[in-house]
Amino acid sequence: MSSLDFMNKLLDGGAVEWQALASVCKIETGKLNANAAVDDGEFMFFTTAKETSRINKYRWDTEALLIAGNANVGEVKHYSGKFDAYQRTYVLTSFASGVNIRFLFYVLSNDLKKYLEERTNSAAMTYIVLSTLEDFQIPIPCPDNPKKSLEIQAEIVRILDAFTELTTELTTELTTRKKQYNHYRDQLLSFEDGEVEWKTLGELADVNTGSKPTEILETATSFDYINAGTSRSGYSAASNCAGDTVTTPSRGQGGIGYVGYQNEPFWLGPLCYKLQSTDKTVLINKYLFYFLQSRSELLLGLKKEGGVPAVNKSDLVQLEIPFPSLEEQKRIVAILDKFDALTNSISEGLPREIELRQKQYEHYRDLLLSFPKSESHGDAHAQ
């Protein structure tokens, strides 16, 4: 069903009136500085950060929408109760009787950022001008029939709330699974004194950096280009390193301590180490990956400051690695591979389920909020 057909069915012949945000609620800002927040405060304190803070006094005791006026510009929160707000946070209260507050929350969450981006001349949107916010247009279905209008708004809210709740539950479950994964990984890779033999990384593996490819491509092609950082640095038309290889940045801001595992052939850059077992009958590369991933503090401890942070090869090869029997390494890898797929894989497990539910939510959100624009408001609120 097209969005037009879906909307026609929802409206059932009713019209849509676009009204300025300022006409359906009161808009003001907080008066406090961000440093007014206190640890373990009694009341909510809304700043422009994604996370909320606490405070020991309140200015409002009502249901409100909070909009970040700078920093995370256009982020919208919905709250009911006692709270206070930062001076750059817009506070929406005293809503018109014909507006479902939750419906207004979804409209603003869906369209406000794009609306603001279209009205700023700078490359980065840094703050919201009050008059621009006041002019934001709100679709009111069936304005001549308030009862029907609220029923339509409530139905939209019911559907979107259900998707939001499901995604929240899945995300909470994923967070729990990740904690479990980290716990079991650390348990599996912890050994008592004398339980297993330890050798230096240099005794067990080849440790080398790569080189710069002839051309670094931006669009996906045959091979990943792995260099400094925690993700690929681009793509390459050729490879210089086989798969089944552990990687870790040799220098650069933010990447030191990160451990990656390349399952397929790739191009190894000059600012990244490859770690490959010299004898796979003694050490499995994937086991080495899980051990180093669980002990990132060992790599961070090798970091040399001054200029660009770096890890010297002479220090890296001296890291001591426990290596139990090959059978035990295989058992550990098999268990962690299953956990990893459930908690981190984007092709299966919870991450995949969350991705599908998010796409489903966005599909229905687009259908439910695609109200037809009147000629008089189409330009004012281009969506």
Side-chain angles (χ1 to χ4, degrees):
M1 181 183 294
S2 70
S3 59
L4 182 61
D5 292 338
F6 190 93
M7 188 53 65
N8 286 337
K9 185 177 180 180
L10 186 69
L11 292 172
D12 191 24
V16 175
E17 181 176 281
W18 293 82
Q19 298 182 11
L21 181 62
S23 71
V24 301
C25 64
K26 179 180 180 181
I27 304 174
E28 56 191 325
T29 62
K31 295 181 178 179
L32 301 176
N33 293 324
N35 59 15
V38 297
D39 293 336
D40 302 322
E42 185 177 356
F43 308 108
M44 296 291 284
F45 180 46
F46 293 95
T47 66
T48 55
K50 288 184 178 295
E51 302 76 19
T52 54
S53 301
R54 308 294 296 186
I55 198 167
N56 280 328
K57 60 181 181 180
Y58 67 91
R59 176 179 168 190
W60 289 273
D61 183 7
T62 186
E63 187 172 10
L65 299 179
L66 298 307
I67 299 174
N70 63 7
N72 296 290
V73 178
E75 288 280 340
V76 186
K77 295 185 177 71
H78 180 196
Y79 183 72
S80 182
K82 297 174 180 176
F83 68 93
D84 214 321
Y86 168 58
Q87 57 187 329
R88 299 296 184 186
T89 297
Y90 286 100
V91 182
L92 280 53
T93 57
S94 305
F95 301 92
S97 59
V99 174
N100 180 309
I101 301 172
R102 192 71 181 164
F103 169 75
L104 185 57
F105 165 78
Y106 279 118
V107 171
L108 289 165
S109 297
N110 192 48
D111 297 332
L112 182 60
K113 285 185 180 179
K114 183 178 179 182
Y115 164 84
L116 294 170
E117 288 169 355
E118 291 170 348
R119 284 155 180 78
T120 181
N121 294 322
S122 62
M125 184 173 53
T126 56
Y127 61 91
I128 296 177
V129 176
L130 176 60
S131 59
T132 302
L133 183 61
E134 290 175 330
D135 287 340
F136 179 80
Q137 299 292 299
I138 304 298
I140 305 297
C142 306
D144 297 331
N145 186 340
K147 180 175 181 295
K148 182 177 179 180
S149 179
L150 288 172
E151 287 174 350
I152 291 173
Q153 294 178 49
E155 177 62 7
I156 292 172
V157 168
R158 183 189 68 77
I159 296 171
L160 295 182
D161 271 354
F163 279 116
T164 301
E165 183 177 356
L166 177 58
T167 302
T168 300
E169 289 176 357
L170 289 171
T171 302
T172 302
E173 177 67 17
L174 180 60
T175 300
T176 301
R177 294 280 184 87
K178 285 186 175 181
K179 288 181 179 178
Q180 287 179 330
Y181 166 78
N182 290 337
H183 172 75
Y184 285 113
R185 182 194 62 191
D186 293 347
Q187 289 291 314
L188 285 167
L189 294 169
S190 296
F191 303 97
E192 300 290 338
D193 289 342
E195 185 180 1
V196 297
E197 188 176 359
W198 291 66
K199 287 191 175 182
T200 65
L201 186 58
E203 293 177 283
L204 297 168
D206 286 329
V207 180
N208 287 297
T209 54
S211 59
K212 190 176 180 180
T214 304
E215 184 180 12
I216 301 172
L217 306 172
E218 293 184 357
T219 54
T221 182
S222 299
F223 303 100
D224 287 344
Y225 172 44
I226 305 298
N227 201 25
T230 59
S231 60
R232 76 169 69 85
S233 298
Y235 300 91
S236 171
S239 67
N240 67 352
C241 195
D244 185 29
T245 298
V246 184
T247 55
T248 189
S250 63
R251 60 191 291 121
Q253 298 287 350
I256 299 297
Y258 174 78
V259 183
Y261 176 77
Q262 314 307 320
N263 194 43
E264 302 292 336
F266 65 101
W267 188 281
L268 178 72
L271 303 180
C272 188
Y273 291 116
K274 68 173 182 181
L275 314 175
Q276 291 176 321
S277 170
T278 53
D279 186 350
K280 293 184 180 179
T281 64
V282 175
L283 178 68
I284 299 173
N285 285 322
K286 197 65 177 292
Y287 165 82
L288 178 61
F289 160 70
Y290 281 125
F291 176 77
L292 291 176
Q293 185 193 54
S294 71
R295 302 290 193 278
S296 60
E297 71 275 8
L298 294 177
L299 294 169
L300 289 170
L302 302 177
K303 183 171 64 175
K304 304 296 185 187
E305 297 288 357
V308 180
V311 171
N312 294 328
K313 178 180 175 180
S314 57
D315 294 326
L316 182 60
V317 296
Q318 293 303 315
L319 271 186
E320 290 196 331
I321 308 297
F323 68 105
S325 68
L326 201 64
E327 290 69 27
E328 179 63 5
Q329 291 180 44
K330 290 179 179 178
R331 187 184 76 85
I332 292 171
V333 168
I335 293 172
L336 294 179
D337 274 353
K338 290 180 181 177
F339 257 119
D340 185 64
L342 283 171
T343 55
N344 297 312
S345 172
I346 60 172
S347 61
E348 56 186 302
L350 278 171
R352 174 63 173 164
E353 183 67 16
I354 291 173
E355 182 185 40
L356 291 174
R357 297 289 79 77
Q358 182 63 27
K359 287 182 178 178
Q360 195 175 32
Y361 163 77
E362 291 171 359
H363 170 73
Y364 279 98
R365 180 200 62 195
D366 292 343
L367 286 176
L368 291 165
L369 298 177
S370 297
F371 289 97
K373 305 174 190 68
S374 66
E375 293 183 1
S376 59
H377 291 97
D379 292 337
H381 185 207
Q383 297 185 68

